[in-house]
Amino acid sequence: MSATQVETTTLVPQGTWAVDPVHSSIRFDVIDTDTAFKSVGGRFTDFEGTIDPGQTKGVVRTASILTDHEQRDAHLRSPDLLEVERFPEIRFESTRIEHLDGDRHKIVGELTIKEVPITVELDAKFQGAGTDADGLEKTLFRIEGAVEWGPTRVEITADITAVRA
């Protein structure tokens, strides 16, 4: 892909963009805030989303959580934590996208976990846009942020490739 990185006042070029899950990733690190030690890192493998210059929406399927340890993954999916049978999705919808400077943006929105909305502020960095070898118009950006959840802080990193819809 020949990507061009330019300063932009919108997170993505004009139009609607669909997250390409094959070329994107959503990762997390859980930090125990009592001890300041990293407890676990992992990722979600089943997700989707759309991005417009003024709004982002996304869904993560909770059963797709992976930490590369079967017993821990089963515990994370259990009623003790994510309760994936009852709450199959984590949802995000932005309420505001603010251009900070250069290629940096702030995304404010609601992250809904187990039907409980949490207001979050995420940092986004536009990384480029271009056309790949198959002629698909794509844009790249990284989103980072954290959520306080009980005695833990969950740090989130999403590397997103989106295709013009």
Side-chain angles (χ1 to χ4, degrees), residues 106-163:
K106 180 179 300 257
I107 302 173
V108 179
E110 283 197 350
L111 182 67
T112 303
I113 303 171
K114 295 176 76 170
E115 296 185 19
V116 176
I118 303 166
T119 299
V120 296
E121 289 188 10
L122 306 170
D123 296 318
K125 183 176 190 293
F126 175 78
Q127 296 177 314
T131 304
D132 71 8
D134 295 323
L136 295 174
E137 192 175 352
K138 295 184 175 185
T139 186
L140 309 168
F141 55 96
R142 172 174 274 194
I143 299 171
E144 296 177 309
V147 176
E148 302 295 326
W149 195 16
T152 62
R153 181 177 67 248
V154 180
E155 297 177 348
I156 303 161
T157 302
D159 287 308
I160 302 296
T161 297
V163 178

Side-chain angles (χ1 to χ4, degrees), residues 9-56:
T9 57
T10 61
L11 180 58
V12 294
Q14 290 297 321
T16 300
W17 300 80
V19 172
D20 176 358
V22 173
H23 298 102
S24 300
S25 65
I26 298 177
R27 299 177 310 281
F28 63 88
D29 289 300
V30 178
I31 311 298
D32 181 327
T33 54
D34 291 336
T35 63
F37 288 112
K38 178 178 172 182
S39 299
V40 67
R43 64 196 178 281
F44 290 96
T45 60
D46 186 4
F47 51 88
E48 62 186 71
T50 57
I51 304 101
D52 291 299
Q55 184 175 46
T56 64

Side-chain angles (χ1 to χ4, degrees), residues 45-143:
T45 60
D46 186 4
F47 51 88
E48 62 186 71
T50 57
I51 304 101
D52 291 299
Q55 184 175 46
T56 64
K57 291 182 182 181
V59 175
V60 170
R61 310 268 167 356
T62 54
S64 75
I65 193 168
L66 289 176
T67 65
D68 297 325
H69 188 277
E70 285 183 37
Q71 187 176 2
R72 180 174 48 221
D73 293 347
H75 182 243
L76 290 170
R77 292 181 188 113
S78 78
D80 290 344
L81 293 165
L82 290 175
E83 200 171 350
V84 302
E85 296 295 322
R86 187 168 171 212
F87 303 103
E89 298 177 337
I90 295 172
R91 298 186 159 278
F92 176 79
E93 186 168 343
S94 67
T95 55
R96 183 175 87 244
I97 300 176
E98 176 184 332
H99 176 246
L100 299 176
D101 63 63
D103 54 9
R104 297 180 334 110
H105 299 78
K106 180 179 300 257
I107 302 173
V108 179
E110 283 197 350
L111 182 67
T112 303
I113 303 171
K114 295 176 76 170
E115 296 185 19
V116 176
I118 303 166
T119 299
V120 296
E121 289 188 10
L122 306 170
D123 296 318
K125 183 176 190 293
F126 175 78
Q127 296 177 314
T131 304
D132 71 8
D134 295 323
L136 295 174
E137 192 175 352
K138 295 184 175 185
T139 186
L140 309 168
F141 55 96
R142 172 174 274 194
I143 299 171

